Protein backbone atom coordinates (compact mmCIF):
# COMPACT_ATOMS: atom_id res chain seq x y z
CA UNK A 1 0.00 0.00 0.00
CA UNK A 2 2.79 2.37 0.91
CA UNK A 3 4.32 1.99 -2.56
CA UNK A 4 1.08 3.14 -4.21
CA UNK A 5 1.30 6.44 -2.36
CA UNK A 6 4.72 7.20 -3.84
CA UNK A 7 4.88 9.73 -6.67
CA UNK A 8 6.07 8.65 -10.11
CA UNK A 9 9.11 10.07 -11.88
CA UNK A 10 6.75 11.71 -14.39
CA UNK A 11 4.75 13.38 -11.59
CA UNK A 12 7.95 14.76 -10.05
CA UNK A 13 8.95 16.11 -13.45
CA UNK A 14 5.54 17.80 -13.83
CA UNK A 15 5.86 19.45 -10.40
CA UNK A 16 9.23 20.94 -11.37
CA UNK A 17 7.97 21.95 -14.79
CA UNK A 18 5.42 24.05 -12.90
CA UNK A 19 8.17 25.47 -10.68
CA UNK A 20 10.18 26.53 -13.71
CA UNK A 21 7.33 28.26 -15.57
CA UNK A 22 7.35 31.40 -13.47
CA UNK A 23 6.85 35.14 -13.87
CA UNK A 24 9.77 35.69 -11.46
CA UNK A 25 12.06 33.70 -13.78
CA UNK A 26 10.96 35.68 -16.84
CA UNK A 27 11.46 38.99 -14.98
CA UNK A 28 14.92 37.91 -13.79
CA UNK A 29 15.74 36.98 -17.38
CA UNK A 30 15.11 40.59 -18.47
CA UNK A 31 18.13 41.66 -16.36
CA UNK A 32 20.43 39.81 -18.83
CA UNK A 33 19.58 42.08 -21.79
CA UNK A 34 22.65 44.34 -21.34
CA UNK A 35 24.94 41.37 -22.15
CA UNK A 36 23.38 40.81 -25.57
CA UNK A 37 21.79 37.51 -26.60
CA UNK A 38 24.87 35.27 -27.04
CA UNK A 39 26.72 36.23 -23.85
CA UNK A 40 23.46 36.37 -21.92
CA UNK A 41 22.51 32.85 -23.06
CA UNK A 42 25.95 31.53 -22.09
CA UNK A 43 25.67 33.07 -18.61
CA UNK A 44 22.16 31.63 -18.16
CA UNK A 45 23.26 28.12 -19.19
CA UNK A 46 26.42 28.10 -17.03
CA UNK A 47 24.48 29.37 -14.02
CA UNK A 48 21.74 26.76 -14.43
CA UNK A 49 24.22 23.89 -14.89
CA UNK A 50 25.91 24.86 -11.60
CA UNK A 51 22.62 25.46 -9.78
CA UNK A 52 20.92 22.28 -10.99
CA UNK A 53 23.90 20.06 -10.14
CA UNK A 54 23.56 21.31 -6.57
CA UNK A 55 19.77 20.93 -6.77
CA UNK A 56 20.19 17.26 -7.79
CA UNK A 57 22.57 16.50 -4.92
CA UNK A 58 20.33 18.21 -2.36
CA UNK A 59 17.26 16.37 -3.68
CA UNK A 60 19.05 13.02 -3.69
CA UNK A 61 19.75 13.25 0.06
CA UNK A 62 16.01 13.57 0.77
CA UNK A 63 15.07 10.96 -1.83
CA UNK A 64 17.42 8.32 -0.44
CA UNK A 65 16.68 8.96 3.24
CA UNK A 66 12.92 9.58 2.70
CA UNK A 67 13.20 12.77 4.74
CA UNK A 68 11.88 16.27 4.06
CA UNK A 69 14.35 19.05 3.27
CA UNK A 70 14.52 20.38 6.82
CA UNK A 71 14.66 16.84 8.27
CA UNK A 72 17.79 16.23 6.19
CA UNK A 73 19.31 19.39 7.71
CA UNK A 74 19.18 17.64 11.11
CA UNK A 75 21.65 15.07 9.72
CA UNK A 76 24.34 17.78 9.59
CA UNK A 77 23.35 20.26 12.30
CA UNK A 78 21.55 18.15 14.91
CA UNK A 79 17.96 18.14 16.19
CA UNK A 80 18.06 21.64 17.72
CA UNK A 81 20.76 23.03 15.43
CA UNK A 82 18.46 22.57 12.44
CA UNK A 83 15.79 24.83 13.98
CA UNK A 84 17.68 27.93 12.83
CA UNK A 85 17.44 26.81 9.20
CA UNK A 86 13.83 25.65 9.51
CA UNK A 87 12.81 29.08 10.82
CA UNK A 88 14.87 30.89 8.15
CA UNK A 89 13.38 28.62 5.48
CA UNK A 90 9.80 29.34 6.57
CA UNK A 91 10.57 33.08 6.54
CA UNK A 92 12.10 32.97 3.05
CA UNK A 93 9.15 30.92 1.79
CA UNK A 94 6.68 33.44 3.22
CA UNK A 95 8.73 36.08 1.39
CA UNK A 96 8.66 34.10 -1.86
CA UNK A 97 4.91 33.51 -1.56
CA UNK A 98 4.31 37.25 -1.19
CA UNK A 99 6.73 38.14 -4.03
CA UNK A 100 5.19 35.63 -6.44
CA UNK A 101 1.62 36.74 -5.69
CA UNK A 102 2.73 40.40 -6.05
CA UNK A 103 4.47 39.78 -9.41
CA UNK A 104 1.54 37.77 -10.73
CA UNK A 105 -0.99 40.38 -9.62
CA UNK A 106 0.98 43.27 -11.14
CA UNK A 107 1.30 41.42 -14.45
CA UNK A 108 -2.35 40.29 -14.51
CA UNK A 109 -3.54 43.81 -13.70
CA UNK A 110 -1.47 45.12 -16.62
CA UNK A 111 -3.62 43.02 -18.97
CA UNK A 112 -7.02 43.24 -17.26
CA UNK A 113 -7.20 46.28 -14.99
CA UNK A 114 -9.41 45.36 -12.04
CA UNK A 115 -7.02 46.49 -9.29
CA UNK A 116 -3.86 44.74 -8.05
CA UNK A 117 -5.51 43.70 -4.77
CA UNK A 118 -8.22 41.82 -6.70
CA UNK A 119 -5.62 39.74 -8.53
CA UNK A 120 -3.75 39.14 -5.26
CA UNK A 121 -6.95 37.60 -3.87
CA UNK A 122 -7.65 35.57 -7.04
CA UNK A 123 -4.13 34.13 -7.27
CA UNK A 124 -3.92 33.55 -3.50
CA UNK A 125 -7.31 31.81 -3.54
CA UNK A 126 -6.18 29.44 -6.33
CA UNK A 127 -2.96 28.64 -4.42
CA UNK A 128 -5.03 27.72 -1.35
CA UNK A 129 -7.20 25.50 -3.59
CA UNK A 130 -4.05 23.76 -4.90
CA UNK A 131 -2.90 23.18 -1.28
CA UNK A 132 -6.27 21.76 -0.22
CA UNK A 133 -6.37 19.42 -3.24
CA UNK A 134 -3.03 18.07 -1.99
CA UNK A 135 0.22 17.02 -3.65
CA UNK A 136 -0.84 13.40 -4.26
CA UNK A 137 -4.18 14.39 -5.86
CA UNK A 138 -2.81 17.05 -8.20
CA UNK A 139 -1.88 14.65 -11.02
CA UNK A 140 -4.64 15.39 -13.55
CA UNK A 141 -4.95 19.07 -12.55
CA UNK A 142 -1.20 19.49 -13.07
CA UNK A 143 -1.28 17.74 -16.46
CA UNK A 144 -4.00 20.09 -17.75
CA UNK A 145 -2.31 23.21 -16.33
CA UNK A 146 1.15 22.22 -17.62
CA UNK A 147 -0.15 21.41 -21.12
CA UNK A 148 -1.86 24.82 -21.32
CA UNK A 149 1.24 26.63 -20.04
CA UNK A 150 3.48 24.76 -22.48
CA UNK A 151 1.36 25.77 -25.48
CA UNK A 152 1.02 29.38 -24.34
CA UNK A 153 4.75 29.83 -23.69
CA UNK A 154 5.47 28.44 -27.18
CA UNK A 155 3.19 31.15 -28.59
CA UNK A 156 5.04 33.77 -26.51
CA UNK A 157 8.39 32.52 -27.86
CA UNK A 158 7.15 32.72 -31.44
CA UNK A 159 6.06 36.35 -31.04
CA UNK A 160 9.27 37.43 -29.31
CA UNK A 161 11.83 35.63 -31.45
CA UNK A 162 10.07 35.50 -34.82
CA UNK A 163 8.08 38.73 -34.71
CA UNK A 164 8.84 42.06 -36.38
CA UNK A 165 11.34 43.33 -33.79
CA UNK A 166 14.75 45.02 -33.77
CA UNK A 167 17.35 44.07 -31.10
CA UNK A 168 19.13 46.81 -29.21
CA UNK A 169 22.90 46.77 -28.70
CA UNK A 170 24.53 45.38 -25.55
CA UNK A 171 26.33 47.44 -22.93
CA UNK A 172 28.58 46.86 -19.90
CA UNK A 173 26.09 47.56 -17.10
CA UNK A 174 26.07 43.88 -16.03
CA UNK A 175 29.27 41.82 -15.70
CA UNK A 176 29.36 38.22 -16.92
CA UNK A 177 30.10 36.91 -13.41
CA UNK A 178 27.16 38.81 -11.92
CA UNK A 179 24.94 37.41 -14.66
CA UNK A 180 26.04 33.83 -13.91
CA UNK A 181 25.25 34.44 -10.24
CA UNK A 182 21.76 35.67 -11.13
CA UNK A 183 21.26 32.46 -13.12
CA UNK A 184 22.47 30.30 -10.21
CA UNK A 185 20.21 32.19 -7.80
CA UNK A 186 16.89 30.65 -8.89
CA UNK A 187 17.90 26.96 -8.71
CA UNK A 188 19.66 27.80 -5.44
CA UNK A 189 16.43 29.18 -3.98
CA UNK A 190 14.87 25.71 -4.42
CA UNK A 191 17.66 23.83 -2.57
CA UNK A 192 15.90 24.00 0.82
CA UNK A 193 12.67 22.65 -0.78
CA UNK A 194 13.45 19.89 -3.27
CA UNK A 195 13.59 17.04 -0.74
CA UNK A 196 10.01 17.81 0.30
CA UNK A 197 9.02 16.34 -3.09
CA UNK A 198 11.74 13.78 -3.92
CA UNK A 199 11.23 11.98 -0.57
CA UNK A 200 7.87 10.73 -1.92
CA UNK A 201 9.33 9.30 -5.16
CA UNK A 202 8.97 5.64 -6.14
CA UNK A 203 12.38 5.73 -7.83
CA UNK A 204 14.58 8.14 -5.85
CA UNK A 205 17.49 8.60 -8.29
CA UNK A 206 15.38 8.80 -11.46
CA UNK A 207 12.84 11.16 -9.91
CA UNK A 208 15.52 13.47 -8.53
CA UNK A 209 17.37 13.55 -11.85
CA UNK A 210 14.10 14.19 -13.72
CA UNK A 211 13.25 17.00 -11.27
CA UNK A 212 16.63 18.74 -11.61
CA UNK A 213 16.82 18.39 -15.40
CA UNK A 214 13.20 19.43 -15.98
CA UNK A 215 13.53 22.46 -13.74
CA UNK A 216 16.91 23.39 -15.29
CA UNK A 217 15.63 23.25 -18.87
CA UNK A 218 12.35 25.09 -18.17
CA UNK A 219 13.96 27.72 -15.95
CA UNK A 220 16.59 28.38 -18.64
CA UNK A 221 13.77 28.72 -21.16
CA UNK A 222 11.95 31.26 -18.94
CA UNK A 223 15.14 33.29 -18.47
CA UNK A 224 15.67 33.30 -22.26
CA UNK A 225 12.06 34.43 -22.83
CA UNK A 226 12.62 37.34 -20.42
CA UNK A 227 15.98 38.25 -21.93
CA UNK A 228 14.64 37.91 -25.48
CA UNK A 229 11.64 40.08 -24.67
CA UNK A 230 13.88 42.81 -23.25
CA UNK A 231 16.32 42.64 -26.18
CA UNK A 232 13.88 42.28 -29.07
CA UNK A 233 10.86 44.25 -27.82
CA UNK A 234 12.60 46.69 -25.48
CA UNK A 235 10.08 45.78 -22.76
CA UNK A 236 10.89 44.84 -19.14
CA UNK A 237 7.25 44.84 -17.99
CA UNK A 238 5.83 41.31 -18.31
CA UNK A 239 2.28 42.62 -18.85
CA UNK A 240 3.43 44.82 -21.73
CA UNK A 241 5.37 41.90 -23.18
CA UNK A 242 2.13 39.88 -23.17
CA UNK A 243 0.16 42.77 -24.67
CA UNK A 244 2.74 43.31 -27.43
CA UNK A 245 2.65 39.58 -28.07
CA UNK A 246 -1.10 39.96 -28.65
CA UNK A 247 -1.86 37.19 -26.17
CA UNK A 248 -4.65 38.98 -24.25
CA UNK A 249 -6.63 36.39 -22.23
CA UNK A 250 -4.11 33.68 -23.13
CA UNK A 251 -1.38 35.86 -21.60
CA UNK A 252 -3.52 36.33 -18.52
CA UNK A 253 -3.82 32.53 -18.18
CA UNK A 254 -0.02 32.15 -18.48
CA UNK A 255 0.44 34.68 -15.71
CA UNK A 256 -2.15 33.24 -13.33
CA UNK A 257 -1.39 29.53 -13.71
CA UNK A 258 2.40 29.93 -13.79
CA UNK A 259 2.17 31.96 -10.58
CA UNK A 260 -0.12 29.41 -8.90
CA UNK A 261 1.91 26.30 -9.85
CA UNK A 262 5.18 27.86 -8.64
CA UNK A 263 3.90 29.58 -5.50
CA UNK A 264 1.99 26.47 -4.40
CA UNK A 265 5.40 24.80 -3.91
CA UNK A 266 6.67 27.67 -1.74
CA UNK A 267 3.60 27.60 0.50
CA UNK A 268 3.48 23.78 0.64
CA UNK A 269 7.16 23.56 1.66
CA UNK A 270 6.67 26.28 4.26
CA UNK A 271 4.06 23.97 5.82
CA UNK A 272 6.44 20.98 5.70
CA UNK A 273 9.24 23.05 7.26
CA UNK A 274 6.85 24.22 10.00
CA UNK A 275 6.34 20.56 10.95
CA UNK A 276 10.12 20.28 11.43
CA UNK A 277 9.99 23.12 13.96
CA UNK A 278 7.24 21.44 16.01
CA UNK A 279 5.14 18.34 15.38
CA UNK A 280 2.10 20.16 16.81
CA UNK A 281 1.73 22.11 13.54
CA UNK A 282 -0.38 20.67 10.70
CA UNK A 283 1.62 21.26 7.52
CA UNK A 284 -1.35 21.72 5.19
CA UNK A 285 -3.01 24.39 7.35
CA UNK A 286 0.34 26.06 8.00
CA UNK A 287 0.71 26.32 4.20
CA UNK A 288 -2.75 27.94 3.98
CA UNK A 289 -1.76 30.48 6.68
CA UNK A 290 1.51 31.22 4.84
CA UNK A 291 -0.50 31.89 1.67
CA UNK A 292 -2.86 34.25 3.52
CA UNK A 293 0.15 36.13 4.97
CA UNK A 294 1.63 36.24 1.45
CA UNK A 295 -1.62 37.70 0.05
CA UNK A 296 -1.62 40.44 2.71
CA UNK A 297 2.08 41.17 2.11
CA UNK A 298 1.55 41.36 -1.66
CA UNK A 299 -1.32 43.83 -1.21
CA UNK A 300 0.45 46.04 1.34
CA UNK A 301 4.16 46.11 0.34
CA UNK A 302 5.93 46.98 -2.96
CA UNK A 303 8.25 44.12 -4.08
CA UNK A 304 9.63 45.21 -7.45
CA UNK A 305 13.34 44.32 -7.06
CA UNK A 306 14.15 40.86 -5.68
CA UNK A 307 17.89 40.66 -6.43
CA UNK A 308 18.94 41.44 -2.83
CA UNK A 309 16.44 38.86 -1.59
CA UNK A 310 17.95 36.24 -3.94
CA UNK A 311 21.46 36.99 -2.70
CA UNK A 312 20.33 36.76 0.94
CA UNK A 313 18.85 33.31 0.26
CA UNK A 314 22.11 32.27 -1.40
CA UNK A 315 24.25 33.44 1.51
CA UNK A 316 22.13 31.47 4.01
CA UNK A 317 21.46 28.24 2.13
CA UNK A 318 24.50 27.76 -0.15
CA UNK A 319 26.91 27.03 2.76
CA UNK A 320 24.19 24.98 4.51
CA UNK A 321 23.74 22.68 1.52
CA UNK A 322 27.53 22.53 0.99
CA UNK A 323 27.94 21.11 4.50
CA UNK A 324 25.10 18.62 3.91
CA UNK A 325 26.70 17.43 0.66
CA UNK A 326 30.09 17.06 2.39
CA UNK A 327 28.56 15.09 5.28
CA UNK A 328 26.33 12.80 3.23
CA UNK A 329 28.39 12.07 0.10
CA UNK A 330 31.98 12.37 1.32
CA UNK A 331 32.18 11.95 5.09
CA UNK A 332 29.18 9.55 5.32
CA UNK A 333 28.22 11.24 8.60
CA UNK A 334 24.79 11.49 10.23
CA UNK A 335 24.54 13.80 13.27
CA UNK A 336 20.77 13.50 13.74
CA UNK A 337 21.21 12.04 17.25
CA UNK A 338 23.02 15.20 18.41
CA UNK A 339 21.13 18.18 19.79
CA UNK A 340 23.48 20.70 18.16
CA UNK A 341 26.52 20.15 15.94
CA UNK A 342 28.60 23.17 16.94
CA UNK A 343 31.41 22.40 14.49
CA UNK A 344 29.14 22.47 11.44
CA UNK A 345 27.35 25.60 12.68
CA UNK A 346 30.70 27.42 12.96
CA UNK A 347 31.65 26.24 9.45
CA UNK A 348 28.27 27.52 8.20
CA UNK A 349 28.92 30.97 9.73
CA UNK A 350 32.29 31.06 7.93
CA UNK A 351 30.57 30.07 4.67
CA UNK A 352 27.91 32.74 5.18
CA UNK A 353 30.49 35.50 5.78
CA UNK A 354 32.56 34.27 2.82
CA UNK A 355 29.52 34.44 0.52
CA UNK A 356 28.78 38.03 1.58
CA UNK A 357 32.45 38.93 0.90
CA UNK A 358 32.52 37.20 -2.51
CA UNK A 359 29.45 39.22 -3.55
CA UNK A 360 31.85 42.16 -3.96
CA UNK A 361 34.33 40.14 -6.04
CA UNK A 362 33.63 39.72 -9.77
CA UNK A 363 34.25 36.01 -10.44
CA UNK A 364 33.45 34.71 -13.93
CA UNK A 365 31.48 31.70 -12.57
CA UNK A 366 29.66 33.74 -9.91
CA UNK A 367 30.24 33.51 -6.15
CA UNK A 368 27.92 30.64 -5.10
CA UNK A 369 30.03 27.84 -6.58
CA UNK A 370 33.38 29.04 -5.11
CA UNK A 371 31.70 29.61 -1.72
CA UNK A 372 30.25 26.10 -1.68
CA UNK A 373 33.50 24.43 -2.77
CA UNK A 374 35.49 26.26 -0.07
CA UNK A 375 32.84 25.46 2.56
CA UNK A 376 32.80 21.77 1.56
CA UNK A 377 36.61 21.51 1.63
CA UNK A 378 36.67 23.25 5.03
CA UNK A 379 33.99 20.88 6.38
CA UNK A 380 35.78 17.75 5.13
CA UNK A 381 39.15 19.03 6.37
CA UNK A 382 37.92 19.94 9.86
CA UNK A 383 36.17 16.58 10.34
CA UNK A 384 39.20 14.63 9.03
CA UNK A 385 41.49 16.47 11.47
CA UNK A 386 39.01 15.84 14.28
CA UNK A 387 38.98 12.14 13.41
CA UNK A 388 42.79 11.96 13.58
CA UNK A 389 42.81 13.76 16.94
CA UNK A 390 40.38 11.20 18.37
CA UNK A 391 42.62 8.37 17.23
Amino acid sequence: MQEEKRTSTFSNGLIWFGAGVSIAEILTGTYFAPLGFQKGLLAIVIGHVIGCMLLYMAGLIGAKTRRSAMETVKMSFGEKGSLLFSILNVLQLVGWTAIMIYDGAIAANGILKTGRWVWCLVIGGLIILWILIGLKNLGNVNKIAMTALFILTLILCKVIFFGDTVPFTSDESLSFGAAVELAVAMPLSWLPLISDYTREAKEPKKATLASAITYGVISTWMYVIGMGAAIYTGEYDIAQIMVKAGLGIAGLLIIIFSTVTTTFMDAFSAGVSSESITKKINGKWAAVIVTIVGIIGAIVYPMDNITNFLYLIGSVFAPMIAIQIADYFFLKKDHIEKQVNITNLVIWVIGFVLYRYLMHVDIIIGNTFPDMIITMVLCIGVHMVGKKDKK
Side-chain angles (χ1 to χ4, degrees), residues 70-71 74 79-80 82-83 86-87 90 270-283 286:
M70 289 300 111
E71 289 294 314
K74 293 178 181 179
E79 186 74 28
K80 300 294 184 188
S82 69
L83 288 177
S86 294
I87 293 167
V90 171
V272 175
S273 294
S274 298
E275 290 178 329
S276 292
I277 298 171
T278 171
K279 298 297 181 187
K280 294 177 182 178
I281 294 176
N282 180 291

Side-chain angles (χ1 to χ4, degrees), residues 232-361:
Y232 294 105
T233 71
E235 278 293 347
Y236 289 78
D237 181 340
I238 188 66
Q240 290 307 308
I241 291 168
M242 297 289 185
V243 169
K244 281 193 174 184
L247 289 176
I249 297 301
L252 191 63
L253 290 174
I254 293 177
I255 290 165
I256 291 172
F257 280 105
S258 65
T259 304
V260 170
T261 55
T262 304
T263 316
F264 155 75
M265 296 179 68
D266 294 319
F268 178 84
S269 285
V272 175
S273 294
S274 298
E275 290 178 329
S276 292
I277 298 171
T278 171
K279 298 297 181 187
K280 294 177 182 178
I281 294 176
N282 180 291
K284 178 177 280 191
W285 292 109
V288 170
I289 292 168
V290 165
T291 306
I292 292 169
V293 172
I295 293 169
I296 295 167
I299 292 171
V300 174
Y301 299 107
M303 303 175 190
D304 296 302
N305 191 333
I306 63 169
T307 51
N308 289 332
F309 180 67
L310 287 173
Y311 291 141
L312 180 61
I313 292 170
S315 60
V316 170
F317 294 109
M320 180 197 81
I321 294 292
I323 292 166
Q324 286 185 256
I325 291 171
D327 271 348
Y328 186 82
F329 292 102
F330 297 99
L331 295 168
K332 313 292 183 186
K333 292 276 188 182
D334 187 344
H335 306 283
I336 203 163
E337 298 301 325
K338 291 184 178 180
Q339 287 297 300
V340 180
N341 188 329
I342 299 294
T343 304
N344 277 352
L345 278 174
V346 170
I347 294 169
W348 172 78
V349 171
I350 294 169
F352 175 86
V353 172
L354 178 63
Y355 186 102
R356 303 304 294 184
Y357 169 75
L358 290 175
M359 281 175 60
H360 304 288
V361 181

Side-chain angles (χ1 to χ4, degrees), residues 18 56 116 346 373:
Y56 171 73
R116 176 166 61 87
V346 170
I373 292 295

